[in-house]
């Protein structure tokens, strides 16, 4: 009798594996998804059993998710040069081998296997083995899966068009409720389309990243079209990014009053290739005042200055963008 085919991973299982790939611990994932830590661990056990994965299951689940297109490669950090011993350790981790199994595979002691793992995490800047496997995929250190396609290139004209769209919509209305927009490329060029969000969704938490993550959960519940596309994405436009507009209070650039704060309106965005955008300007203080000229910033993948504008909200936007993309091979509706 042949072994049964593994069932497709459930949506919640994919969400948890994706967050493990980001380096989050079980309690952090539980807080972000609004479930218990015990429930998180239960989903991990169910997913590993469904796929027949044993041993150190989290790295192997992350490997499976990347290899089957459940997590798309969106960022391209400069790869590091790993010595053969760490490459072998990485491969063992991606297969779910624990310290003793790694030691037996490589012909070393368990203590050496632990040392190799520590060196691997340090070399990749990872906080867990599952995180290391994810970083390796993002750096191109793991082999791409058959049928996995690269994100279409974003041309310089599209970058300029996205920035102009952000500038145009920055002060479109004076509502302080954050807004999420889809960046679409249609027959008329690049445009922004507002995603309708109930006000209460924004008021239930103070963290923008948590709100965007919750919205990703909401849109994931919607039934997809027969072709796998998401109903939130207009069929007339090709989805190339997600943008988040919100108001913020930041220290004023005034040396005479360093404790004063200024009201700013921000537009953060992320495209399919991990490019980060920022449009920001001061809010008008009185009805007769005019907003300041928006400052526009673009940071392509690999730019060392990306961290100046990268934050949890942008990471959440990236996750939302993945949720809105066509259903990946192996996923479930």
């Amino acid at each position: 009798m042949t072994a049964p085919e593994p069932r497709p991973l459930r949506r919640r299982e994919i969400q948890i594996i994706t967050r493990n790939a980001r380096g989050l611990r079980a309690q952090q994932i539980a807080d972000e998804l609004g479930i218990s830590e015990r429930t998180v661990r239960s989903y991990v056990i169910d997913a590993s059993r469904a796929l027949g994965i044993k041993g150190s299951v989290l790295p192997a689940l992350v490997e499976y998710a990347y290899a089957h297109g459940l997590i798309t490669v969106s960022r391209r950090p400069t790869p590091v040069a790993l010595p053969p011993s760490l490459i072998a350790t990485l491969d063992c981790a991606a297969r779910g081998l624990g310290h003793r199994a790694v030691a037996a595979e490589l012909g070393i002691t368990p203590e050496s296997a632990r040392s190799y793992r520590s060196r691997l995490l340090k070399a990749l800047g990872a906080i867990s083995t599952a995180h290391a496997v994810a970083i390796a995929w993002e750096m191109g250190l793991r082999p791409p899966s058959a049928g996995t396609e690269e994100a279409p290139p974003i041309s310089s004209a599209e970058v300029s068009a996205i920035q102009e769209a952000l500038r145009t919509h920055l002060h479109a209305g004076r509502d302080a409720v954050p807004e999420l927009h889809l960046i679409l490329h249609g027959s008329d060029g690049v445009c922004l389309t507002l995603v309708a969000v109930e006000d209460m969704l924004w008021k239930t938490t103070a963290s923008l990243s948590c709100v965007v993550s919750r919205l990703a959960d909401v849109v994931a519940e919607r039934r997809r079209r027969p072709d796998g596309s998401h109903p939130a994405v207009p069929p007339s436009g090709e989805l190339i990014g997600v943008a988040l507009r919100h108001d913020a209070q930041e220290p004023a650039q005034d040396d005479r009053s360093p404790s004063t704060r200024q009201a700013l309106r921000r537009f953060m965005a992320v495209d399919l290739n991990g490019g980060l955008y920022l449009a920001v300007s001061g809010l008008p203080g009185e009805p007769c005042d005019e907003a300041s000229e928006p400052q526009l910033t673009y940071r392509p993948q690999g730019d060392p200055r990306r961290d100046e504008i990268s934050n949890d909200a942008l990471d959440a936007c990236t996750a939302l963008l993945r949720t809105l993309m066509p259903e990946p091979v192996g996923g479930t509706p």
Side-chain angles (χ1 to χ4, degrees):
M1 180 181 295
T2 59
E5 290 292 323
R7 66 162 172 80
L9 292 180
R10 301 186 179 97
R11 180 184 61 84
R12 181 66 86 184
E13 292 168 343
I14 296 173
Q15 291 173 338
I16 291 173
I17 294 170
T18 300
R19 284 161 173 79
N20 273 297
R22 287 164 44 196
L24 299 185
R25 304 292 187 183
Q27 186 58 61
Q28 293 172 308
I29 296 173
D31 293 342
E32 193 167 294
L33 296 180
I35 58 180
S36 69
E37 182 178 357
R38 182 177 179 179
T39 301
V40 170
R41 298 188 187 280
S42 176
Y43 275 116
V44 170
I45 293 172
D46 288 347
S48 60
R49 287 176 176 172
L51 300 176
I53 295 175
K54 299 179 180 179
S56 183
V57 299
L58 285 176
L61 286 173
V62 171
E63 172 78 4
Y64 178 91
Y66 271 104
H68 290 78
L70 303 179
I71 304 178
T72 57
V73 177
S74 60
R75 300 186 179 187
R76 289 290 182 184
T78 303
V80 299
L82 295 178
S85 59
L86 298 192
I87 292 177
T89 301
L90 175 64
D91 182 67
C92 289
R95 289 154 50 199
L97 302 187
H99 291 313
R100 293 187 181 277
V102 171
E105 175 101 359
L106 303 183
I108 58 178
T109 65
E111 290 73 19
S112 294
R114 291 187 179 88
S115 175
Y116 283 5
R117 176 187 179 276
S118 296
R119 288 169 53 194
L120 176 65
L121 266 58
K122 183 177 181 181
L124 296 179
I127 64 175
S128 68
T129 312
H131 191 208
V133 171
I135 292 173
W137 273 92
E138 299 292 346
M139 286 185 171
L141 299 176
R142 297 297 296 163
S145 62
T148 300
E149 299 180 355
E150 295 290 333
I154 301 294
S155 67
S156 58
E158 286 175 320
V159 170
S160 299
I162 291 173
Q163 289 179 296
E164 184 58 34
L166 297 182
R167 180 204 299 268
T168 302
H169 288 76
L170 190 64
H171 290 287
R174 300 184 59 173
D175 193 346
V177 175
E179 295 178 351
L180 272 160
H181 294 252
L182 305 182
I183 306 174
L184 302 173
H185 191 186
S187 57
D188 297 330
V190 173
C191 66
L192 265 63
T193 299
L194 180 65
V195 179
V197 183
E198 295 181 4
D199 289 353
M200 284 303 297
L201 183 62
W202 297 107
K203 295 175 182 177
T204 54
T205 177
S207 169
L208 283 172
S209 60
C210 289
V211 171
V212 179
S213 296
R214 286 195 60 207
L215 181 62
D217 292 342
V218 170
V219 298
E221 297 284 355
R222 299 184 63 182
R223 185 179 298 275
R224 292 178 177 271
R225 302 187 183 103
D227 62 359
S229 62
H230 198 281
V233 181
S236 58
E238 178 187 2
L239 180 67
I240 61 174
V242 171
L244 170 65
R245 191 190 78 165
H246 70 104
D247 293 347
Q249 294 284 335
E250 293 192 354
Q253 301 297 321
D254 188 349
D255 294 335
R256 296 169 298 178
S257 303
S259 62
T260 61
R261 304 181 71 83
Q262 58 182 342
L264 299 178
R265 176 153 290 176
R266 288 176 170 273
F267 230 141
M268 301 181 293
V270 59
D271 66 27
L272 287 174
N273 289 323
L276 303 183
Y277 305 79
L278 178 67
V280 59
S281 78
L283 287 171
E286 299 295 337
C288 60
D289 292 344
E290 294 184 358
S292 59
E293 181 69 15
Q295 299 177 12
L296 300 177
T297 305
Y298 171 66
R299 295 287 185 261
Q301 190 64 255
D303 191 320
R305 298 171 296 172
R306 284 164 56 93
D307 287 343
E308 296 175 7
I309 61 174
S310 178
N311 57 29
D312 290 343
L314 273 173
D315 289 340
C317 284
T318 301
L320 176 62
L321 178 57
R322 293 171 177 167
T323 302
L324 293 168
M325 292 300 291
E327 185 71 32
V329 177
T332 57

